């Protein structure tokens, strides 16, 4: 579930609550360590193109993946024209980076708009915690009255989720009035985008991985978050062995056998690391057939499977935006 590469930062997605929807207890608001995609960038030590599709297209990837190849290429060509801001016939690093940042920002804006309407149908200036709690977790009140003596595991899971949301809400609530402005609500939904919310992202990540609840992450917990062993005597794949070495040599900086809070923070929010630029450089490297460090439309379309996927995958959402195509 979690990323196994250094492109690490939590992103809050896939928890788009509706008033009528009851969240599943196994769902978490922080599902991954990367702001560009909820696909793993590397799987079994090999590059995962689904990550690139989402980083390049954002929510537009899912429908793109379902298109016939000719239509996929046609629409990709229209996108390339948009990315080429100076219309010189080339997509350079800065243009591709700006596009990737745009797709990520669009996802966040769309998500916030959707949830703001759900939890604030009257479009007032703020949303109160009680309103949000009732919309998302109101069903717990009825459950509590039905099973006061023997609450179910799901009941405990929902309660834990609500407690986690409550903590995050309080941190996002800068003025302490228990109501969130649209800006504060954005921080609540997407804490990875706000510097003052990063600590809660770290806390939630540790809680997700720390199975023995000792407040730190062992190498087994780190590996277990990415890999589930099959047969008892099954040999670990090479990529898992590599991750064990990565933990020992790079993650566990004080060599005590665990990642503490600061070490987890360094892992999921590495200082001075630009995810959008790293992804843009990767895409150029993969598609730049003449090694001039910029891409023509032909070079991008030639590698359309790298940029937009194929009918075999199931990620993204939007090239059905007919006004754009």
């Amino acid at each position: 579930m979690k990323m196994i590469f250094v492109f690490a930062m939590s992103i809050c997605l896939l928890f788009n609550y509706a008033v009528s929807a009851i969240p599943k207890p196994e769902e978490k608001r922080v599902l991954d360590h990367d702001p560009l995609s909820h696909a793993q960038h590397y799987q079994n030590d090999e590059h995962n193109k689904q990550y690139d599709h989402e980083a390049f297209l954002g929510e537009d990837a899912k429908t793109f993946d379902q298109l016939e190849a000719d239509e996929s290429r046609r629409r990709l060509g229209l996108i390339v024209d948009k990315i080429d801001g100076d219309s010189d016939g080339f997509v350079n690093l800065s243009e591709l980076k700006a596009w990737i940042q745009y797709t990520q920002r669009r996802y966040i804006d769309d998500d916030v708009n959707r949830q703001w309407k759900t939890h604030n149908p009257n479009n007032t200036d703020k949303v109160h915690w009680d309103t949000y709690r009732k919309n998302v977790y109101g069903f717990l009140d009825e459950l509590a009255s039905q099973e006061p003596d023997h609450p179910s595991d799901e009941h405990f899971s929902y309660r834990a989720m609500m407690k986690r949301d409550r903590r995050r809400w309080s941190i996002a609530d800068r003025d302490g009035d228990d109501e969130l402005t649209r800006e504060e609500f954005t921080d609540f939904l997407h804490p990875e985008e706000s510097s003052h919310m990063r600590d809660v992202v770290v806390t939630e990540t540790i809680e997700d991985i720390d199975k023995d609840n000792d407040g730190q992450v062992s190498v087994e917990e780190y590996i277990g978050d990415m890999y589930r062993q099959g047969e008892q005597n099954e040999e670990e794949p090479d990529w898992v062995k590599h991750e064990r070495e990565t933990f020992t040599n790079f993650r566990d900086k004080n060599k005590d056998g665990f990642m503490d809070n600061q070490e987890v923070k360094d892992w999921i929010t590495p200082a001075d690391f630009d995810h959008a630029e790293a992804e843009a450089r990767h895409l150029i490297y993969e598609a730049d057939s003449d090694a001039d460090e910029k891409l023509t439309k032909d070079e991008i379309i030639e590698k359309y499977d790298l940029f937009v996927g194929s009918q075999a995958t199931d990620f993204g959402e939007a090239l059905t935006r007919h006004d754009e195509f």
Side-chain angles (χ1 to χ4, degrees):
M1 196 93 166
K2 298 290 193 293
M3 287 248 312
I4 63 174
F5 192 61
V6 71
F7 296 97
M9 181 188 290
S10 290
I11 183 168
C12 320
L13 64 149
L14 295 181
F15 222 58
N16 303 325
Y17 296 122
V19 175
S20 61
I22 297 177
K24 299 176 183 177
E26 65 271 17
E27 287 180 320
K28 309 186 200 72
R29 191 176 292 278
V30 174
L31 295 179
D32 206 288
H33 300 309
D34 198 289
L36 301 181
S37 168
H38 53 79
Q40 296 177 14
H41 201 171
Y42 280 74
Q43 287 183 328
N44 297 355
D45 225 17
E46 295 185 2
H47 187 262
N48 178 17
K49 288 183 179 180
Q50 290 170 349
Y51 177 96
D52 297 322
H53 304 164
E54 292 193 11
F56 183 73
L57 295 171
E59 289 195 327
D60 288 349
K62 190 180 297 180
T63 301
F64 226 128
D65 289 339
Q66 299 169 358
L67 296 173
E68 296 293 339
D70 288 346
E71 179 64 7
S72 179
R73 289 186 176 96
R74 184 189 75 82
R75 296 192 183 195
L76 176 58
L78 297 177
I79 288 180
V80 174
D81 291 337
K82 292 182 180 181
I83 300 173
D84 180 15
D86 58 10
S87 301
D88 67 348
F90 297 94
V91 171
N92 59 36
L93 177 65
S94 63
E95 289 170 334
L96 188 52
K97 175 182 173 180
W99 172 261
I100 290 170
Q101 290 172 326
Y102 161 73
T103 59
Q104 171 60 11
R105 190 69 244 174
R106 183 175 64 181
Y107 162 73
I108 292 172
D109 289 344
D110 288 350
D111 183 49
V112 172
N113 287 340
R114 180 170 56 249
Q115 297 210 46
W116 184 259
K117 290 177 182 178
T118 295
H119 301 294
N120 185 19
N122 297 324
N123 197 28
T124 56
D125 292 338
K126 295 184 176 184
V127 175
H128 197 280
W129 164 254
D130 289 342
T131 301
Y132 179 84
R133 190 204 69 82
K134 183 177 180 181
N135 285 345
V136 178
Y137 299 108
F139 65 93
L140 284 174
D141 298 334
E142 182 176 351
L143 284 178
S145 65
Q146 292 175 350
E147 48 180 9
D149 297 326
H150 303 286
S152 66
D153 289 342
E154 280 194 0
H155 186 113
F156 281 122
S157 297
Y158 290 132
R159 288 287 179 190
M161 290 163 58
M162 183 173 67
K163 183 178 179 180
R164 182 158 158 160
D165 267 2
R166 185 64 169 113
R167 177 181 59 198
R168 190 192 288 193
W169 185 282
S170 297
I171 296 172
D173 179 20
R174 299 194 185 206
D175 58 8
D177 63 356
D178 221 14
E179 296 181 298
L180 299 188
T181 64
R182 189 183 183 88
E183 181 181 358
E184 291 170 335
F185 192 65
T186 301
D187 290 344
F188 169 71
L189 294 177
H190 295 276
E192 76 287 349
E193 296 297 313
S194 175
S195 58
H196 87 281
M197 298 291 292
R198 296 284 169 81
D199 286 344
V200 75
V201 173
V202 173
T203 298
E204 291 176 0
T205 301
I206 292 174
E207 289 174 348
D208 290 342
I209 303 174
D210 177 24
K211 300 306 180 185
D212 61 7
N213 298 315
D214 66 351
Q216 53 191 356
V217 177
S218 69
V219 65
E220 295 304 327
E221 289 168 335
Y222 173 77
I223 295 298
D225 190 53
M226 300 177 283
Y227 171 70
R228 299 291 184 270
Q229 190 168 12
E231 299 293 331
Q232 186 173 4
N233 297 323
E234 179 184 274
E235 184 177 358
E236 290 182 341
D238 288 341
W239 69 266
V240 175
K241 296 176 183 177
H242 173 73
E243 282 301 318
R244 288 186 181 276
E245 294 173 0
T246 297
F247 182 94
T248 300
N249 296 329
F250 300 103
R251 307 287 185 229
D252 178 19
K253 295 181 178 181
N254 64 5
K255 309 304 178 187
D256 67 349
F258 299 91
M259 278 197 291
D260 58 24
N261 191 282
Q262 183 59 50
E263 289 166 337
V264 170
K265 188 173 186 177
D266 292 342
W267 169 38
I268 67 172
T269 60
D272 302 322
F273 184 83
D274 190 324
H275 295 268
E277 180 167 335
E279 177 62 11
R281 287 186 182 279
H282 163 70
L283 291 173
I284 289 176
Y285 173 81
E286 292 289 336
D288 183 17
S289 59
D290 59 5
D292 63 352
E293 298 185 353
K294 53 188 177 182
L295 302 179
T296 64
K297 181 184 290 189
D298 287 343
E299 285 176 322
I300 292 175
I301 292 177
E302 178 67 23
K303 290 281 190 176
Y304 86 99
D305 59 327
L306 173 70
F307 287 88
V308 301
S310 68
Q311 291 173 293
T313 57
D314 185 30
F315 278 81
E317 167 182 295
L319 292 180
T320 45
R321 301 188 184 188
H322 298 295
D323 57 325
E324 296 186 11
F325 300 97

